[in-house]
Amino acid sequence: VSFFFFLVILLLPCLSCRSCFCLIVSKETMVVNVHATSVNANNISRNDLVAWINELLEFKYVKVENLCTAAAYCQVMDYLFPGSVPMKKVKFDAKLEYEFIENFKYLQGSFKKVKVDKVIPVERLVKGRFQDNFEFAQWFKLFFDANDPGREYDAAGRRAGKKVSAHTNTTNSRVVKKEIPPTRTQPAQGTRTPTSAPPAAKKLNTPSKATPPSSSSSNKSASSAAQTAKIQSLETEVKDQQNTIDTLEQSVSKLQLELDALVKERDFYFSKLRDIEILCQEDEIKALNVHDVLEIMYKTEDGFIQPTEGEEEDN
């Protein structure tokens, strides 16, 4: 009965307001799971996130991207749930991507141990991009606030004097468009030539000169006509090149969307493999339970809708 009243008290804020986060208490470990259901207008800022980590763990991080090493997340889990993370194995001075992945394995193991049902997008976080790390850090801060025991914590002592690195592994995933030289400036210069023809014609029509037009004036006229034809040819070529550029940009956008979809699908199946790996590595399991493996394999993400038979055939 007491547990029921405790659960009702926790869920009252979600039922009484339009909060975009809901809290679910796991009965096994009393961990409070935080699930995002929509965009939160009151998310904590990047500066507040960095200040929170530095104050709690005595770090010297300067930006959210420093969290891509997962060392901070591991020690926060040690603060929330002592013994859930093997602190001696955590690499606080990690500088390479494979070291980041090792730290995230320890974090996933702690999530599994205390029954946290959050899927960690490891492949995106280790790249050190701001947006991915910022979104995960916002969720982690909400998870921390929901489970904070409010106890004293010797952060430096728990690290056993290990040096903390604020390394970032940033990569740029945007498609860089090749700049096209300003070819339109060339026709602009050439268009000045026809304007010089009228002064020459005035000189030829002046009554002071009775001599017939010389061969030099005819040469100038022929040169002006040739330049005009060249300008028209260049303008046509520029238009063709612009059409080609537009077509290529559309292809790049389409390929980028396909790439994002493939990356998301890869991360989804990678998380399943990690869950199965963690399940196999648990010390208390002597024989692998096939039911648990199948449950991981057929688990879907939030918002997944099973396609109908007609849609599957169309695809």
Side-chain angles (χ1 to χ4, degrees), residues 27-250:
K27 187 175 181 181
E28 293 82 357
T29 59
M30 296 303 294
V31 64
V32 180
N33 283 304
V34 182
H35 294 281
T37 57
S38 62
V39 178
N40 188 1
N42 299 319
N43 280 343
I44 188 172
S45 67
R46 66 177 78 180
N47 294 330
D48 291 338
L49 287 172
V50 174
W52 162 62
I53 288 293
N54 290 337
E55 181 180 359
L56 178 65
L57 305 180
E58 300 177 12
F59 280 10
K60 294 182 180 179
Y61 283 176
V62 295
K63 51 187 177 179
V64 174
E65 291 90 326
N66 297 144
L67 296 171
C68 70
T69 65
Y73 296 133
C74 289
Q75 188 159 7
V76 172
M77 288 297 294
D78 180 72
Y79 166 77
L80 296 175
F81 309 98
S84 63
V85 179
M87 293 294 291
K88 293 183 180 180
K89 296 182 179 180
V90 176
K91 296 179 176 62
F92 289 93
D93 58 345
K95 297 180 180 179
L96 300 175
E97 189 171 312
Y98 79 91
E99 294 176 322
F100 304 164
I101 295 176
E102 287 294 325
N103 287 342
F104 273 111
K105 288 182 179 179
Y106 303 140
L107 181 63
Q108 287 177 322
S110 67
F111 277 20
K112 189 75 173 180
K113 186 176 295 184
V114 300
K115 308 299 182 183
V116 179
D117 56 5
K118 174 69 173 178
V119 177
I120 305 175
V122 178
E123 290 295 325
R124 297 201 301 268
L125 294 177
V126 296
K127 299 301 180 183
R129 290 188 288 264
F130 167 75
Q131 189 62 34
D132 295 327
N133 284 274
F134 182 54
E135 291 177 357
F136 185 78
Q138 285 180 328
W139 171 89
F140 202 87
K141 180 60 168 64
L142 292 171
F143 174 78
F144 172 84
D145 292 339
N147 294 274
D148 185 7
R151 61 185 179 86
E152 296 293 332
Y153 184 69
D154 182 11
R158 290 294 296 163
R159 291 194 296 271
K162 291 183 180 180
K163 181 181 178 181
V164 179
S165 173
H167 176 75
T168 57
N169 186 26
T170 56
T171 57
N172 186 7
S173 63
R174 297 180 180 178
V175 178
V176 180
K177 297 181 180 180
K178 185 177 179 181
E179 295 184 358
I180 306 299
T183 54
R184 292 182 181 274
T185 57
Q186 296 178 358
Q189 295 177 358
T191 54
R192 297 179 182 177
T193 54
T195 58
S196 61
K202 288 183 179 179
K203 291 181 180 180
L204 294 175
N205 295 330
T206 53
S208 59
K209 293 184 179 180
T211 56
S214 60
S215 59
S216 60
S217 61
S218 61
N219 292 335
K220 289 181 180 180
S221 299
S223 176
S224 177
Q227 290 179 356
T228 302
K230 185 176 181 180
I231 290 170
Q232 294 177 351
S233 176
L234 290 174
E235 289 178 347
T236 303
E237 184 178 354
V238 168
K239 291 181 180 179
D240 293 339
Q241 290 180 355
Q242 188 62 42
N243 293 333
T244 303
I245 292 171
D246 294 339
T247 303
L248 292 176
E249 287 179 347
Q250 293 177 358

